[in-house]
Amino acid sequence: MTDEPDRRPILAGVNATQDASVPRQAAALATRMDADLVCAWIDTTRLPREGDGTDAVTVPVDPDVVGSDGTESEVLARVRAALDGATARWTLVRASGEVVSALRTVADTYDAALVVVGTRRPGIVEWVDEALGGSVAGRLAHTQKRPVVVVPQGRPE
């Protein structure tokens, strides 16, 4: 047995509409665990192109639609503002496709120690999505091997 800490990164699922508490709590966990933070934004308006897995090019689902989760620059600005003053080293990565599958792939790519996500956003559209497909946190917890930390959104930190 070793006293060496597990330095695998913490993975946080982020988007342009979530509370700042999600990346902040993930950064706090990363600091406590002496780990880096990988913030993953999943562009749900694009699907990964089929291929051998090395092709990073994506194709838009509908080129006329802007995603409800914002653009990459909007997400970066929100994460940067949320993590202002955080001591954990962090980076933002972009993935495409269905959220749970893409987060699982990013977690595998970075060998994340755990995954941090927020609770569902308020609103009827999100409620219908959850009712039909289940929550991202719930589906992650049931489909991959890493612990999932769920940060409540819309509540004081």
Side-chain angles (χ1 to χ4, degrees):
M1 193 157 132
T2 178
D3 290 335
E4 186 67 26
D6 182 357
R7 296 194 193 275
R8 295 180 301 156
I10 304 301
L11 174 66
V14 297
N15 64 56
T17 61
Q18 74 188 159
D19 284 355
S21 61
V22 176
R24 281 186 192 140
Q25 291 295 327
L29 280 170
T31 298
R32 286 186 204 113
M33 295 174 68
D34 194 23
D36 291 340
L37 174 62
V38 175
C39 296
W41 170 59
I42 312 305
D43 184 350
T44 58
T45 66
R46 299 175 79 79
L47 296 175
R49 181 179 287 172
E50 295 294 324
D52 64 2
T54 60
D55 186 1
V57 175
T58 59
V59 293
V61 174
D62 182 346
D64 296 326
V65 174
V66 175
S68 63
D69 290 336
T71 65
E72 189 168 6
S73 61
E74 290 171 332
V75 174
L76 179 58
R78 294 275 308 223
V79 171
R80 186 175 282 141
L83 297 180
D84 184 41
T87 58
R89 288 187 335 180
W90 64 275
T91 188
L92 177 69
V93 299
R94 174 184 172 183
S96 301
E98 191 275 323
V99 174
V100 171
S101 177
L103 283 174
R104 195 171 48 240
T105 298
V106 174
D108 288 345
T109 299
Y110 286 89
D111 191 25
L114 57 91
V115 180
V116 179
V117 293
T119 54
R120 75 174 174 86
R121 291 169 278 184
I124 190 69
V125 172
E126 285 75 15
W127 180 85
V128 169
D129 284 347
E130 186 171 324
L132 294 175
S135 70
V136 168
R139 291 184 359 236
L140 273 172
H142 292 290
T143 61
Q144 52 95 49
K145 60 188 175 191
R146 288 168 180 78
V148 176
V149 175
V150 182
V151 177
Q153 294 189 80
R155 294 170 183 86
E157 290 182 53

